[in-house]
Amino acid sequence: ESSGNGSLSQKTSLPGHREVSSGVSVSFSTHSPSAVKEKLQPNKDTVFFRDGVRRIDFVLSYVDEKDGEKKQERRRAFEANLEKAGLELETEDKSDSKDQKTYFLKIHAPWDVLATHADVLKVKVPFKESDIPHGQDVPLEWLSRPFRLPEHIMNPEPDYFTYHFDKTKTDFFLIRDKDTFFPPSTRNRIVFYILGRCSYYKEGQKDKDKTGIKRLLSNGTYTAAFPLHDCRYWKRARNAECESERYNLYKHWARFLCFYKEQPLNLIKKYYGEKIGIYFAWLGFYTEMLFFAAVMGFICFTYGVLSYDDNITSKEICDPNVGGSIVMCPLCDKNCTFWTLNSTCHSSWQSHLFDNEGTVFFAIFMGIWVTLFLEFWKRRQARLEYEWDLVDFEEEQQQLQIRPEFEIRCTNRRLNKITQEMEPYLPLHSRCARYCLSGATVLFWISLILACITGVIAYRLAVYASFASIIGNHEGETGSHENKILLVGGLITPQLATSVTASCINFVIIMILNFFYEKVAIWITDMEIPKTHLEYENRLITKMFLFQFVNYYSSCFYVAFFKGKFVGYPGNYTYMFGKWKKFRNEECDPGGCLIELTTQLLIVMAGKQLWGNIQEALLPLMRNWWSSRKGRHNPENHYSRWEQDHVLQNFSQLGLFYEYLEMVIQFGFITLFVASFPLAPLLALFNNILEIRVDAWKFTTQFRRPVASKARNIGAWQEILNAVAILSVVTNAFIMAFTSDMIPRMVYLYAYSNSTSMKGYINSSLSEYRIPIKPQTMTEDSWLRHFNKTCRYRDYRHPPGHENEYSHTMQFWHILAAKMAFIIIMEHVVFVVKFFIAWMIPDVPSDVKARIKRERYLIQEYLHNYEVETLKLQLSASFITDPQSELSLTPDRHEMLSECL
């Protein structure tokens, strides 16, 4: 069985002799075609036509329905046009398939078709082995040996100088075997390009809507279109010299036991194409950088645990003589009772684990880490662009890969000033109308998200009131006058219980809305009719990320920046929908709102990662289990290669879009709100180690082989990451200033404490309120027992009886000034360091720049010498009286060219 890797250096076919996929060496000088067919027929697990010579570059499948005359007509017209385009077809009858109803159309692109379209698409091909030295001696290389893979897996191809293929200069390139010159990934990309632009209307008709394989798939004419995997993933190819690339990927990359090994990026690129290779390179680099953030976050969390016993603030809250003697005002109207401060003892200890001095350091560290990650990725990306011949690819991609949908739906034509050719375009009035409708739809769905978040907030208020009602009834039944917040379980206060249940409900709403966002974003983008594939992806990325950003982060923004900030004070509370609705704005726990933000972030982030892994691993495994088992237990001669791939899942054009989106949303969690949860990078690290192998397993075992496509970088995701990185500095600065209690504690310690310690901070941070004649917001029983007494609440206001009673004290303004100063200082320090690091670290490594210039110089030199030698050959041939045939000139020509090169 041939792996079909197309390597130029591993094997050279001899004239009249070829290794076929069945492992049988067939000499065409001694075997007739019928004999060849007989030898090949027993083994159908092959990637070649029945003649054993022509490679299957693409497969189309269809079911011949009884009432499908229109579909039959479309197929006949489409296949006739494919043959006119030069493709060779071979059909497998439904009687040979396992289900006895599916036909398979195998497509082969001969040399002339490949050469023509490689010229059109400017495919880069090798013309000389590179003589630029690669690699440097790495100090302590022996330490990395356990993590390295074999050299033939890491670098499956030699390094070549490459140049855009030119059909008129075939003797300039290293064409040792035309059958293997273009690798399978390039072949299936070219065939898919032809399929996407081939019409299925009859000759003489002009119906441009009837064009492309995508429309034929959508209207059911064909059921699937895919290139073939080179062999089975779980078993080595029969011929040891033609080891399967898919098998190598599964053995060295897709198994979870390889989680500590490096990724074979060159093999991934060679088999799946540059676009998928770039994704796994980015995901691997992101995971490596997460290791440093995870270690630092774990250290900061450990500091919170070790300083647990030194937390004077929590000790005062838990002290019966301090916290037990402080009576707090009710946290809601009517149902809530007065309560003692020491009821929140456990939550104050929990809050200290995440809200301590180390949190400030970690927030600053993450601001710098984000910059280092993005800058070092740019360098890594630049190196991959050079190694994978993608340096000048973007311009070609924008010019050549016009979407067939744009060509079909845009009937207007105008002259392109650059190419001087007529091209389709979308009129300005149509474009503006589509953009306005798109913008209105986006605003509507964002408003829907905000409405759902508002509903969750209302739920929090109602549920907390219900908890308070239960507590009130409990207190009334016991007749106790000792006011305490009844704990839910052993350690959870009603506020924390409310936060947990609200977070779970919010997560469910997020998952439900995500189902609709995907369809809405695709519909809007299709309606705008982008011109190129790159433009289509960028617009879809922008819309989908905007939806996901609001969906996933809005609840965290509410807890971090709004909850407990607009409460008012007893006697003058602020209400969410007005006083007539009785929904009083939420207050923070006496230990601060940071622990609630931590809870929200943990549930949403961990829930998303858990659900994502279930979707990616368990569901596909269950869905394809029967098909996979069936494929393993059926003999090869009864279960063909195209049938084995047909039962696999289709990898859509937007497959990588969802993978990137998942990781970028995670990136937002670990950067935007990381000050509230230092363990977030550690959770992300564990998830990504699993994510790499799950994605690799899916690509290798669960998906059909994707059509290879090129990409020089991660596209619009780079700009989104940059925007999230900048926003994260702002959000973490505000979290430390307004959500954490760090600044109020520091102001008290250095400005108001008499003993330069935190003793007395709790009493200083609570204001006093005198219970007046029965207010509307208090129950009869509570008022009778506390009439003309005082209760405490979180704020800095003058006590009753003061000439400015219930107005803010000077300590409040000092703290506010300190908060604003902290925000300004932290942002400027981090931004200065960020920009200094970005300036110090060049985007392209100096050695890569030198290699690019050197290679361009050598290519121009070789091309010049080639043109000169070609001209000499032409001039010398013109003086020969007896013209020699092209065959007789070829050896001398190649000899002269080889001397030149």
Side-chain angles (χ1 to χ4, degrees), residues 106-117:
K106 299 176 289 185
I107 301 175
H108 168 76
W111 168 256
D112 289 340
V113 174
L114 293 173
T116 300
H117 286 84

Side-chain angles (χ1 to χ4, degrees), residues 449-521:
I449 299 171
L450 298 179
C452 292
I453 297 300
T454 305
V456 173
I457 295 172
Y459 162 84
R460 297 167 69 104
L461 299 175
V463 168
Y464 186 81
S466 300
F467 272 121
S469 176
I470 296 173
I471 295 170
N473 293 336
H474 177 83
E475 182 184 33
E477 291 171 3
T478 59
S480 173
H481 293 284
E482 181 183 359
N483 302 311
K484 285 190 176 183
I485 290 183
L486 186 67
L487 297 182
V488 182
L491 301 173
I492 304 177
T493 63
Q495 283 175 315
L496 189 55
T498 302
S499 180
V500 170
T501 56
S503 299
C504 293
I505 292 175
N506 183 66
F507 175 71
V508 173
I509 293 175
I510 287 172
M511 293 295 103
I512 294 174
L513 290 178
N514 276 346
F515 174 78
F516 296 101
Y517 293 153
E518 175 186 342
K519 299 182 181 301
V520 171

Side-chain angles (χ1 to χ4, degrees), residues 602-620:
L602 176 62
I603 290 176
V604 176
M605 179 181 174
K608 181 185 183 302
Q609 294 185 166
L610 180 61
W611 177 247
N613 289 327
I614 291 175
Q615 281 185 312
E616 292 187 2
L618 295 182
L619 293 182

Side-chain angles (χ1 to χ4, degrees), residues 540-597:
L540 182 61
I541 286 170
T542 303
K543 294 178 182 64
M544 196 66 180
F545 179 75
L546 183 61
F547 285 146
Q548 298 278 31
F549 183 91
V550 178
N551 194 22
Y552 278 106
Y553 303 145
S554 53
S555 58
C556 293
F557 273 105
Y558 164 73
V559 175
F561 305 124
F562 295 97
K563 183 180 179 182
K565 308 300 186 294
F566 309 99
V567 177
Y569 59 92
N572 189 27
Y573 284 117
T574 304
Y575 291 81
M576 184 176 179
F577 301 110
K579 290 187 177 182
W580 60 279
K581 281 293 184 182
K582 307 300 181 183
F583 279 146
R584 202 173 93 193
N585 285 351
E586 283 187 286
E587 294 185 43
C588 287
D589 189 277
C593 267
L594 195 71
I595 186 63
E596 294 192 43
L597 177 58

